Amino acid sequence: MKKSPDQLRSHRWFGGNDLRSFGHRSRAKQMGYAVEDFDGKPVIAIVNTWSDLTTCHSHFRDRAEEVKRGVWQAGGFPVELPAMPVNETYMKPSPMMYRNFLAMETEELLRSQPIDGVVLMGGCDKTTPGLLMGAISMNLPSVYLPAGPMLRGNWKGQVLGSGSDMWKFWAEKRAGNISDCEWSEMEDGIARSPGHCMTMGTASTMTAIAETLGLTMPGASSIPAVDANHARMATSCGRRIVEMVWDDMKPRDVLSKASFKNAITADMAIGGSTNAIIHLVAMAGRAGIRLDLREFDAISQRTPMIANLRPSGEYLMEDFYYAGGLRALLKQISSLLDLNALTVSGQSLGHNIETAGVFNDRVIHSLEHPVSQSGGTAVLYGNLAPDGAVIKPTAAERRLLEHTGPAVVFKDYADLEARIDDEALPVDQDSVLVLQNAGPLGAPGMPEWGMLPIPRKLLAQGVRDMVRISDARMSGTSYGACVLHVSPESFVGGPLAFVRDGDLIELNVAERRLELRVDENELAQRRASWQPRPPHYERGFGALYAAHVTQAHRGCDFDFLEAGADTAEPEIH
Ligand code: FES
């Protein structure tokens, strides 16, 4: 049943006949609006993560206007609300520290103001989970507007992919195969339009996940940021959110265990970023749905990877869009999905992909001829990772997926930077590089340090991949035999803290094992003599973060923001 105007949430602010509502209406008029502009209309928040330093969202001021056009068309009243512009490029020590900040800000922006529905504008890695976590907790009608990928990079006729090719050519530069001049030319060509990273990194992964969860307009996540279809999609978000308010269609009406399983399946089929695991666990937690790392592994094992996109494959998001985009990919894997899952379009996922088709089968493969037989992420357990660790086997050299080698341990990233290229470092291609104190609390903020650099002397010998282990994350655009998210982390006394130079470490991806081959008595002695490091923060947001962030296998949400009783609506007096 449709809502009536006096059932709108904003009616509590604008609809009364008392002193407060006088104030609320008079201040709307202060901005030049007439009663006809807002009276009895759904107030639609456009939560915009634009900033001059959020390079992936540089088109968002235009897109916000295009959303407003749709809201006005459908009879709503649009209001733009800026929110924490978490950006991957510039925020230190790690934008991951601020994902929960954005989630809290989104939730409270909506709760504290006369908002009936919301269009969430994000795309750069952490903005998608941050905005959605807040919106799921607040549970007002919501549509997610993904920023869209930037155009392909270009250098001397070579296609460059965000991140992936930066890492690749940086290794060549350190090996002496690329000149300063060529490196500078690449800098000019690798990021040449608005939009988020155009490899299948965390941004493309998370927007694809948002779409599969049913939280975007159909097809929205694949449209390049500068394509005119992106602007039209933005306007359609504005029109649709007004209808959703009248229908009272909220995120938790759309989300279910089935929709999260669909999202994990899509994540595996696209060869998505390992970061998606942390964000999906956190997002599901906000909807009161528990996701266990073992579920990711089970879905990974039954889901072939069919997107041929860097860093696991060859192509970029622009090619993916022209090949049919996410709708086409979901159609290819429809036998693995629950097609009855609801979406914000008001239709089922199955309905949304009914007319989709693949236009380039080199970019989007079929289940019969996949890029890889199993999905892009494997979850490992063992005495080195009792609560789990992850690896992206599709982006690693095959020979390393079953490997035992001696550890070369770095106490933290500063130690790694100081010694990794030391000619005297006792390391060879069979060594296992270990980085400690790079997790949620240890770094802090679990930065994307997990693709540890290959020592220069090994690069010169032609080595391009090694087993690397840390409690850090890795950029979705990175690659290599990197074991990540080791939980519990070393900073809180997880077993990774006790690894010493020369210890043998066994990685067996097929058996999903990660073992430290050290005698249990010896480990107990090391544990007993272990000294924790002092905390990084005594005050401010850092101290709040440190007091409440959960470990990687629980999604790194704040413990007090995970599902609990809903917060009451604010009183208005
Ligand atoms: Fe924004 Fe990669 S830097 S998505």
Side-chain angles (χ1 to χ4, degrees):
M1 204 166 89
K2 299 252 184 221
K3 273 188 176 173
S4 60
D6 60 356
Q7 290 174 321
L8 291 172
R9 185 172 179 268
S10 59
H11 182 78
R12 295 182 62 224
W13 276 260
F14 291 117
N17 198 17
D18 56 11
L19 180 64
R20 287 286 166 238
S21 50
F22 169 89
H24 299 149
R25 286 191 299 267
S26 68
R27 291 303 174 143
K29 290 176 179 176
Q30 178 186 16
M31 295 186 290
Y33 293 115
V35 167
E36 291 77 4
D37 287 318
F38 60 84
D39 187 37
K41 298 188 172 183
V43 180
I44 304 300
I46 301 166
V47 175
N48 191 347
T49 49
W50 175 91
S51 86
D52 268 332
L53 288 178
T54 310
T55 61
C56 302
H57 300 176
S58 59
H59 53 316
F60 269 9
R61 291 214 270 199
D62 288 342
R63 292 294 174 273
E65 293 306 314
E66 286 143 4
V67 175
K68 286 179 191 174
R69 189 167 74 209
V71 173
W72 287 121
Q73 284 170 9
F77 177 52
V79 293
E80 190 175 342
L81 305 177
M84 178 68 152
V86 180
N87 67 78
E88 208 57 30
T89 305
Y90 298 113
M91 291 185 93
K92 312 296 176 200
S94 162
M96 184 64 185
M97 263 189 75
Y98 298 101
R99 182 199 66 180
N100 297 349
F101 190 115
L102 174 60
M104 290 171 72
E105 187 185 9
T106 302
E107 182 178 347
E108 301 308 325
L109 271 176
L110 302 177
R111 173 173 297 115
S112 60
Q113 303 189 81
I115 303 300
D116 297 300
V118 53
V119 176
L120 304 152
M121 298 179 63
C124 192
D125 295 18
K126 312 300 177 292
T127 54
T128 300
L131 288 163
L132 289 176
M133 287 159 69
I136 294 167
S137 288
M138 187 55 207
N139 207 30
L140 291 179
S142 306
V143 173
Y144 189 68
L145 193 169
M150 64 179 109
L151 299 177
R152 296 183 199 98
N154 180 49
W155 172 65
K156 286 185 173 170
Q158 283 196 56
V159 171
L160 294 181
S162 314
S164 305
D165 284 305
M166 179 179 78
W167 313 121
K168 183 173 108 184
F169 286 111
W170 178 238
E172 295 306 324
K173 184 168 186 303
R174 291 175 66 235
N177 301 330
I178 293 275
S179 70
D180 285 347
C181 181
E182 288 173 312
W183 184 243
S184 167
E185 287 169 0
M186 281 183 209
E187 203 171 279
D188 294 339
I190 198 165
R192 62 186 187 89
S193 84
H196 60 67
C197 291
M198 75 322 230
T199 39
M200 187 44 80
T202 306
S204 304
T205 303
M206 291 311 302
T207 56
I209 281 173
E211 180 170 339
T212 311
L213 283 170
L215 298 173
T216 75
M217 298 303 284
S221 67
S222 312
I223 309 171
V226 293
D227 194 301
N229 286 293
H230 196 270
R232 284 195 285 275
M233 179 273 291
T235 304
S236 75
C237 290
R239 283 192 298 267
R240 177 62 193 148
I241 189 63
V242 176
E243 293 172 0
M244 286 172 65
V245 169
W246 292 125
D247 292 340
D248 199 26
M249 184 186 199
K250 303 185 289 292
R252 283 185 246 160
D253 301 328
V254 172
L255 298 173
S256 63
K257 185 82 180 195
S259 62
F260 276 99
K261 283 189 167 177
N262 283 345
I264 299 170
T265 304
D267 177 28
M268 299 306 162
I270 59 180
S273 160
T274 45
N275 287 323
I277 294 189
I278 296 179
H279 299 319
L280 269 164
V281 170
M283 287 159 59
R286 296 300 188 98
I289 296 166
R290 190 171 164 74
L291 292 181
D292 188 274
L293 292 192
R294 286 189 170 83
E295 292 182 75
F296 286 85
D297 197 68
I299 293 175
S300 172
Q301 297 207 36
R302 70 166 183 255
T303 309
M305 187 182 88
I306 64 165
N308 188 10
L309 299 172
R310 298 183 201 183
S312 296
E314 296 171 62
Y315 295 95
L316 296 175
M317 287 300 290
E318 195 179 341
D319 307 299
F320 186 60
Y321 179 57
Y322 302 144
L326 186 73
R327 288 174 67 243
L329 179 132
L330 294 177
K331 183 131 191 223
Q332 294 290 76
I333 60 167
S334 55
S335 60
L336 304 173
L337 300 172
D338 183 337
L339 299 176
N340 295 318
L342 188 60
T343 75
V344 294
S345 71
Q347 303 287 347
S348 68
L349 185 67
H351 180 275
N352 289 350
I353 63 175
E354 222 166 68
T355 57
V358 173
F359 308 120
N360 184 342
D361 60 12
R362 293 187 307 280
V363 180
I364 302 176
H365 288 218
S366 63
L367 283 178
E368 293 71 34
H369 302 287
V371 180
S372 157
Q373 270 306 336
S374 60
T377 308
V379 180
L380 311 168
Y381 288 93
N383 69 347
L384 197 47
D387 290 329
V390 305
I391 186 170
K392 189 170 184 174
T394 49
E397 285 186 12
R398 298 287 171 272
R399 68 184 172 86
L400 295 170
L401 299 180
E402 185 180 344
H403 179 85
T404 301
V408 176
V409 181
F410 301 95
K411 293 290 172 205
D412 51 35
Y413 203 85
D415 181 29
L416 178 138
E417 262 184 337
R419 295 194 295 125
I420 190 74
D421 288 336
D422 186 341
E423 284 293 320
L425 188 73
V427 65
D428 64 27
Q429 63 174 357
D430 294 326
S431 302
V432 174
L433 303 180
V434 173
L435 174 63
Q436 298 168 330
N437 294 304
L441 287 159
M446 207 181 176
E448 294 183 337
W449 293 340
M451 183 182 166
L452 277 62
I454 307 288
R456 197 192 304 270
K457 67 180 180 185
L458 297 184
L459 283 173
Q461 294 167 20
V463 178
R464 291 293 182 271
D465 199 1
M466 297 174 70
V467 174
R468 293 160 263 182
I469 301 176
S470 72
D471 40 21
R473 295 176 301 117
M474 171 172 96
S475 164
T477 62
S478 299
Y479 52 88
C482 303
V483 176
L484 311 157
H485 311 183
V486 169
S487 185
E489 63 175 307
S490 51
F491 188 82
V492 299
L496 192 69
F498 312 130
V499 184
R500 292 183 183 168
D501 284 336
D503 288 349
L504 281 183
I505 294 178
E506 181 189 0
L507 168 68
N508 189 320
V509 175
E511 295 178 7
R512 302 298 197 253
R513 282 194 300 111
L514 182 66
E515 304 286 351
L516 178 61
R517 287 211 193 147
V518 172
D519 178 61
E520 190 45 51
N521 291 333
E522 168 66 18
L523 273 182
Q525 277 179 23
R526 293 185 193 178
R527 195 175 293 120
S529 61
W530 178 74
Q531 293 290 327
R533 291 185 164 203
H536 289 282
Y537 299 97
E538 291 188 5
R539 61 166 301 282
F541 177 72
L544 176 85
Y545 170 91
H548 295 287
V549 73
T550 62
Q551 288 289 292
H553 67 285
R554 283 186 52 199
C556 296
D557 202 354
F558 289 159
D559 50 12
F560 63 90
L561 294 174
E562 292 176 331
D566 283 344
T567 307
E569 284 285 342
E571 294 186 15
I572 301 176
H573 298 295

